[in-house]
Amino acid sequence: MSIALAIALVLCLAAAAASLRHALRWRRLSAQGRPPAWRLAAILLLQFACAALLFATLLPPGRTIDESRLVVMTADTDADDARQATQGDAILIALPEAGTDAATAAGARAMPDLATALRMHPRAGSLHVLGGGLEARDLDAARSLPVTFEPPPLPPGLVELDAPARVASGGVLQVSGRVHDAADARLELLDPAGAVQDRAIPDDDGRFQLQALVRASGPAVYRLRLRGQVEAEADIPVDAKPGDRARLLLLAGAPGPEPKYLRRWASDAGLQLRSQMALGGGVTLGDAPLAFDAETLSGFDLLIVDERAWAGLDANARSAVLAAVDGGLGLMLRITGRPDAATRDALRQLGFALGDADPVLEADVVLEAARVADTDDAASASAAGPDIGDTGVPALARQPHPILAPGSVSLLDDASGTSLARWRPSGRGRIAVWNLDHSYRLVLTGHGQRHARLWSEATGTLARAGAGRQPRFEGIARAGRRVALCDFEPGTLLVTDDGTRTHPLHDPAAGGCAAVWPARSGWYRVGEGGAAPLLYVHPAEALPGLAAQARQEATLRLARAKATTPRPRHGEEEAATTHRFGSRTVDGDAFALDSGSSDTGPRWPWFLAWLLAAGLLWWLERSAHRTSGTGRIAAARP
């Protein structure tokens, strides 16, 4: 039972009891002593009227709200469109991104943010967003109202960009994204020295992918260059630390050019490598032999072993390796010769199998041609290294048996799409079978970068995962704009190159993120000490296409969410929604009333009416009492 119903029931019972008392008293009086019938009727009617007026005083009924539509001008809003959208009871406001000239031309009232506009117009029932969309600071304030938004066309150029903030030393930097309305576009990825590392031409949807080998440790800024009818450049910051190096253990059944160039690649990439190559008779070449136990294997991230070296391990060593794989170690078994019964047994132990020989696979392996496009810039091609300008890839070797494993994933394909290596999960680690040999020919034929990328990608996929999540910015960070800092330890400082410190406020209710406003562009250190991770802040006007895309997507998500959320009916209570983001707390009902159609009316008119009715009832009851008393005295006289 609701409170309103309980109050109404109590008042009705009280009015009924009082009316019954008056009716019984009226019947007990003699005919000469009874007051007039109209007086009794008035008293009974006023009893229920007082009860009703008291209920209206305690719980005043709702009144109709004259809702208005708030038209919001954002970035790139046309003044004529804003005037046409303002019709009827619409109120036109302009946020700072709209610009002073556009706001003046449209006759809009300038507002510092949307929350201020909603506090000044609490009767607003809906939002109509014009232009490019709402900034991050206005999204929380807009969640309490229905939002209408029709995004304009994106500007031509780069509108999506995805690149990791950190890459292990010796790893591969993978850059992908999308360009919009950029005909004849060509993209180039340049290293910090300005040498072209990769080129690509967008597909029909405008998407592209580039990659470059990260050799040196420390912070570096790569460059993404868009050429064609639309030209633009973007910074690609990368923080590679020596501590990010993968720890490799290489076991080979015999010396040869393949393990030799694997050792050279690991050395050039700055990886921690220990290798052992069997010479026969119990003699090994390379580093000192290791004990295959849990403690030793925990010091490595990836074990690369060929079938002959695997067969040379005893049962205890193999069991220790498999136990280490379940704990996170990566394992790659290289097939370098025609598989015999021992090799097939080893594969079955690892959860793999080899199919029957396929005549199609008898031919030499041809990898997919390098993705570096032909260029008329000969200087850039020569500066980029031997891979640029020569897309021919030498033929490599493999065994003509397909790799079979349920639930496995392809790690490497040839030019025809046939899988050359596959991996499957095992506990917290990964096990792969590598059916590719003679990859060293890539180095001998001038494709050293291709060889490095081949093994870097495999190592990055199979090696033990990092210890934990690193601090990161949510999206593209720009100077002077709010950005979310996530996955940082509470109490961590954000320090600039000049020593300026910021104290982000950790908020568990916001997914462990905090809102920060970096004042300047450049590198920021998250924490104290030289080993603290680095994050990069772009200049305020950098990447305009990405900013426009982010605003549109955020506003569209908000509009779709409100469109699918049913609005409460009149009389239903809706709990106030609290939105937390970093150190900022926003109450949804603090900015605007609920967008329903009613509001609580004033109490004082109902109180005055109740007071008047109660006074009249009191007078009637007193006068009736005096009349009935006088009649009884007169009737008793002789």
Side-chain angles (χ1 to χ4, degrees):
M1 180 182 296
S2 64
I3 296 178
L5 183 59
I7 294 176
L9 183 59
V10 170
L11 292 176
C12 288
L13 291 177
S19 300
L20 181 61
R21 170 178 167 272
H22 279 284
L24 293 177
R25 181 185 176 189
W26 185 81
R27 290 191 61 182
R28 286 198 302 266
L29 293 176
S30 62
Q32 295 81 3
R34 291 176 182 173
W38 67 266
R39 191 184 295 270
L40 177 62
I43 291 175
L44 297 180
L45 181 62
L46 285 174
Q47 291 285 355
F48 288 95
C50 286
L53 291 173
L54 181 58
F55 179 83
T57 302
L58 297 175
L59 300 174
R63 65 179 181 181
T64 302
I65 293 179
D66 295 330
E67 293 184 346
S68 60
R69 183 168 54 96
L70 201 63
V71 180
V72 183
M73 296 177 62
T74 62
D76 303 326
T77 301
D78 184 73
D80 294 335
D81 295 340
R83 285 193 295 267
Q84 293 177 4
T86 309
Q87 298 176 358
D89 58 354
I91 301 172
L92 182 61
I93 66 166
L95 297 179
E97 296 77 30
T100 305
D101 296 339
T104 303
R109 184 175 181 181
M111 293 288 175
D113 52 44
L114 184 59
T116 302
L118 292 178
R119 283 195 295 267
M120 297 183 66
H121 301 89
R123 307 294 188 193
S126 63
L127 296 177
H128 184 188
V129 180
L130 302 177
L134 298 173
E135 295 286 343
R137 68 163 189 274
D138 300 318
L139 294 175
D140 290 334
R143 297 184 193 279
S144 59
L145 295 176
V147 178
T148 302
F149 176 61
E150 296 181 2
L154 291 171
L158 187 66
V159 295
E160 291 183 17
L161 182 62
D162 184 18
R166 297 175 183 84
V167 177
S169 300
V172 176
L173 170 63
Q174 300 279 357
V175 179
S176 60
R178 182 171 68 90
V179 295
H180 174 71
D181 194 17
D184 302 328
R186 293 173 296 165
L187 294 115
E188 299 175 343
L189 183 59
L190 289 71
D191 62 14
V196 178
Q197 297 298 307
D198 200 359
R199 292 183 174 90
I201 297 176
D203 59 15
D204 296 338
D205 295 331
R207 300 198 172 274
F208 64 88
Q209 185 174 3
L210 299 164
Q211 58 185 12
L213 186 65
V214 179
R215 297 182 180 275
S217 301
V221 179
Y222 287 70
R223 300 284 293 175
L224 177 64
R225 187 163 59 192
L226 174 63
R227 305 179 66 178
Q229 294 184 2
V230 179
E231 296 191 357
E233 290 189 355
D235 292 339
I236 309 295
V238 176
D239 181 23
K241 293 183 177 298
D244 294 332
R245 297 181 299 175
R247 301 162 297 178
L248 271 62
L249 176 59
L250 174 63
L251 302 180
E258 190 74 347
K260 171 185 175 181
Y261 283 95
L262 275 178
R263 287 166 53 92
R264 179 178 297 180
W265 159 75
S267 176
D268 294 340
L271 305 182
Q272 302 179 22
L273 174 69
R274 292 183 65 92
S275 62
Q276 296 179 14
M277 293 171 286
L279 296 178
V283 181
T284 59
L285 179 66
D287 298 312
L290 297 174
F292 282 84
D293 53 27
E295 181 179 359
T296 302
L297 294 175
S298 64
F300 295 96
D301 299 319
L302 176 62
L303 170 61
I304 302 177
V305 57
D306 60 26
E307 73 275 22
R308 287 180 290 180
W310 181 261
L313 297 178
D314 57 25
N316 293 333
R318 292 187 187 183
S319 298
V321 170
L322 295 180
V325 169
D326 291 337
L329 177 68
L331 172 62
M332 175 191 289
L333 179 63
R334 296 173 49 240
I335 300 177
T336 61
R338 187 171 298 276
D340 53 11
T343 301
R344 294 181 181 274
D345 289 340
L347 289 172
R348 281 192 293 269
Q349 184 183 9
L350 299 179
F352 291 84
L354 293 179
D356 297 334
D358 188 348
V360 178
L361 303 181
E362 294 285 351
D364 292 336
V365 176
V366 177
L367 295 178
E368 184 180 358
R371 295 184 299 101
V372 178
D374 294 335
T375 178
D376 53 0
D377 191 349
S380 297
S382 60
D387 279 353
I388 307 300
D390 180 11
T391 60
V393 179
L396 310 180
R398 68 175 163 199
Q399 298 302 317
H401 298 274
I403 303 173
L404 307 176
S408 62
V409 181
S410 179
L411 180 62
L412 177 65
D413 297 334
D414 62 9
S416 64
T418 303
S419 180
L420 297 171
R422 302 190 69 86
W423 66 269
R424 69 171 187 86
S426 177
R428 297 173 56 188
R430 295 177 176 180
I431 301 177
V433 173
W434 184 270
N435 188 16
L436 177 68
D437 201 11
H438 298 172
S439 65
Y440 67 91
R441 293 178 181 174
L442 294 170
V443 183
L444 299 180
T445 55
H447 293 273
Q449 288 191 4
R450 187 65 185 278
H451 178 269
R453 291 174 184 173
L454 181 73
W455 285 99
S456 295
E457 290 176 358
T459 301
T461 302
L462 301 177
R464 189 191 306 268
R469 305 178 68 178
Q470 295 289 326
R472 59 183 174 85
F473 283 135
E474 188 73 26
I476 302 295
R478 297 179 180 82
R481 304 293 182 92
R482 189 181 80 162
V483 66
L485 176 65
C486 301
D487 298 334
F488 67 99
E489 293 294 331
T492 302
L493 299 177
L494 200 61
V495 186
T496 62
D497 293 338
D498 60 1
T500 303
R501 299 185 177 186
T502 304
H503 298 262
L505 181 59
H506 187 270
D507 188 356
C513 299
V516 294
W517 282 261
R520 53 184 293 271
S521 60
W523 289 100
Y524 282 69
R525 189 176 302 277
V526 186
E528 302 285 354
L534 296 173
L535 295 175
Y536 187 79
V537 176
H538 294 263
E541 303 302 326
L543 306 172
L546 270 70
Q549 172 75 1
R551 287 194 301 267
Q552 287 191 10
E553 288 186 352
T555 309
L556 284 173
R557 284 197 300 267
L558 184 62
R560 296 191 187 105
K562 296 302 292 185
T564 57
T565 302
R567 297 171 62 182
R569 297 187 299 272
H570 173 54
E572 293 183 350
E573 296 182 356
E574 182 180 12
T577 303
T578 300
H579 308 283
R580 298 183 180 269
F581 191 76
S583 59
R584 183 182 180 191
T585 302
V586 180
D587 290 333
D589 58 350
F591 289 147
L593 298 175
D594 180 73
S595 57
S597 59
S598 65
D599 190 15
T600 300
R603 303 174 187 269
W604 65 268
W606 303 104
F607 175 74
L608 291 180
W610 172 83
L611 189 61
L612 180 61
L616 181 59
L617 179 61
W618 174 83
W619 178 80
L620 289 174
E621 288 182 350
R622 295 296 297 176
S623 61
H625 178 72
R626 289 197 300 269
T627 302
S628 61
T630 303
R632 287 197 303 271
I633 294 173
R637 290 177 182 177

